[in-house]
Amino acid sequence: MLQSNPLYRSTPELKAKPLLAVEDLAVHYRTARGTSRAVDGISLEIHQSETLGLVGESGCGKSTLGRAILRLVEPSRGSIRLDGRELVGLSQTALRGERRRLQMVFQDSGAALDPRWTVGQLIEEPLRVHGIGSLAERRARVARLLADVGLPADAAARYPHAFSGGQRQRIGLARAIALEPDLVVCDEPVSALDVSIQAQILNLLHDLQARRGVAFLFISHDLSVVEHVSDRVAVMYLGRIVEIAAREALWRAPAHPYTRKLLAAVPSLERRGRRAGRGIDHHDTLPSPYSPPSGCHFHPRCPMAVERCRAEVPSLRVTSGAGHRVACHLA
Ligand code: SF4
């Protein structure tokens, strides 16, 4: 059971100056198959203490975008500013200081934990690498972090294999927040977990945000999960953002045909498993990012497509409501 359903949580007042500002970001890969436009000119902002959900089908470029924001993959063009400071073009040495402020949690953070290290050593490592505190201070901080993520103090002396998948994800989270980052990119952080454990991790993220003011970019293919954690939601299709809005506005009045299709396909978290999804099926697949359709990438799957959609790329423009933007010629 979710501790507090953010459906009833008001969207925080967004400060004028964003924590993170991404502008016209692109990641193009050249391979033997040609050039993949995994991320193709994305602009978005994330504010302090905000959760921006990022949704879309597998292969739409969400994870690449998350990794590019952390400079784990190199952007082909564009700008990433953290509190106004440009990250694109920074050397790895100059980036090191900013890395403390930006962390990532993966789908299975537990799998990335070195099985030869104790949980205490694993959580302490980022503190040690950044030269933070004495040994005694770091150990005290590890104890606080374990408490923060709901693990007992004696977990520090045990090894990762002694923990369940959900507990290992908590250990991954403790590592990610050890350096008190401003933004954590969460890439499908609950997809590998049972529904009951998912709720625990989502509640934990919510608590951490309330206590520490951290912002999250929450990447998921699962709208029912995103519905519960996000203040705003960005919908991604084949390397581009097609709609971005406050969560309530998006669920109440989705403006892009693809968003409507996604929403029709996914039952809510409470109803999950009780009815089959509709709208997106496996015969209706995402085109290849190596040869995206012309104009609006969505036109071959769009029930509303007109001739203009095949020729002209729709820009992401403001539609009704504050900050509600959509990339569709007919919206
Ligand atoms: Fe559909 Fe055209 Fe809008 Fe694209 S621009 S979503 S094809 S109506």
Side-chain angles (χ1 to χ4, degrees), residues 256-258 296 298-299 302 304-306 309 314 327-330:
H256 196 282
Y258 179 60
C296 172
F298 189 56
H299 82 251
C302 181
M304 296 165 62
V306 294
C309 305
C328 173
H329 295 309
L330 305 186

Side-chain angles (χ1 to χ4, degrees), residues 106-253:
F106 299 93
Q107 178 173 345
D108 187 3
S109 293
L113 301 174
D114 190 326
R116 295 164 302 177
W117 289 22
T118 65
V119 168
Q121 289 170 324
L122 287 163
I123 299 175
E124 188 199 340
E125 190 204 13
L127 300 169
R128 190 172 45 75
V129 167
H130 282 87
I132 293 170
S134 63
L135 181 62
E137 286 164 342
R138 290 198 299 270
R139 289 201 171 149
R141 193 132 146 197
V142 167
R144 282 201 303 277
L145 285 161
L146 283 171
D148 278 354
V149 298
L151 288 172
D154 66 6
R158 289 151 67 195
Y159 290 87
H161 66 79
F163 296 88
S164 67
Q167 287 172 323
R168 285 200 298 269
Q169 197 64 325
R170 287 170 187 259
I171 297 166
L173 261 174
R175 266 172 70 91
I177 62 171
L179 296 169
E180 302 190 337
D182 295 307
L183 174 72
V184 178
V185 174
C186 302
D187 188 2
E188 304 275 6
V190 297
S191 326
L193 304 173
D194 290 345
V195 172
S196 61
I197 309 295
Q198 284 187 6
Q200 288 176 16
I201 299 290
L202 298 180
N203 286 334
L204 176 59
L205 291 172
H206 185 227
D207 285 351
L208 288 172
Q209 187 168 62
R211 270 185 279 140
R212 293 171 173 261
V214 62
F216 293 118
L217 175 63
F218 191 96
I219 299 171
S220 179
H221 67 282
D222 188 337
L223 262 86
S224 59
V225 168
V226 165
E227 180 185 8
H228 281 271
V229 298
S230 305
D231 298 302
R232 290 185 303 132
V233 178
V235 181
M236 195 165 169
Y237 186 81
L238 220 56
R240 297 174 181 164
I241 299 292
V242 296
E243 186 163 8
I244 186 164
R247 180 199 57 237
E248 297 88 344
L250 198 82
W251 258 257
R252 191 181 60 247

Side-chain angles (χ1 to χ4, degrees), residues 255-279:
H256 196 282
Y258 179 60
T259 311
R260 290 203 286 267
K261 207 165 181 171
L262 277 183
L263 285 172
V266 183
S268 75
L269 200 63
E270 289 81 8
R271 287 174 291 153
R272 193 189 300 188
R274 287 200 215 150
R275 71 178 170 90
R278 292 168 302 160

Side-chain angles (χ1 to χ4, degrees), residues 48 80 119 202 243 276 282-283 293:
Q48 193 186 358
I80 304 164
V119 168
L202 298 180
E243 186 163 8
H282 58 275
H283 298 298

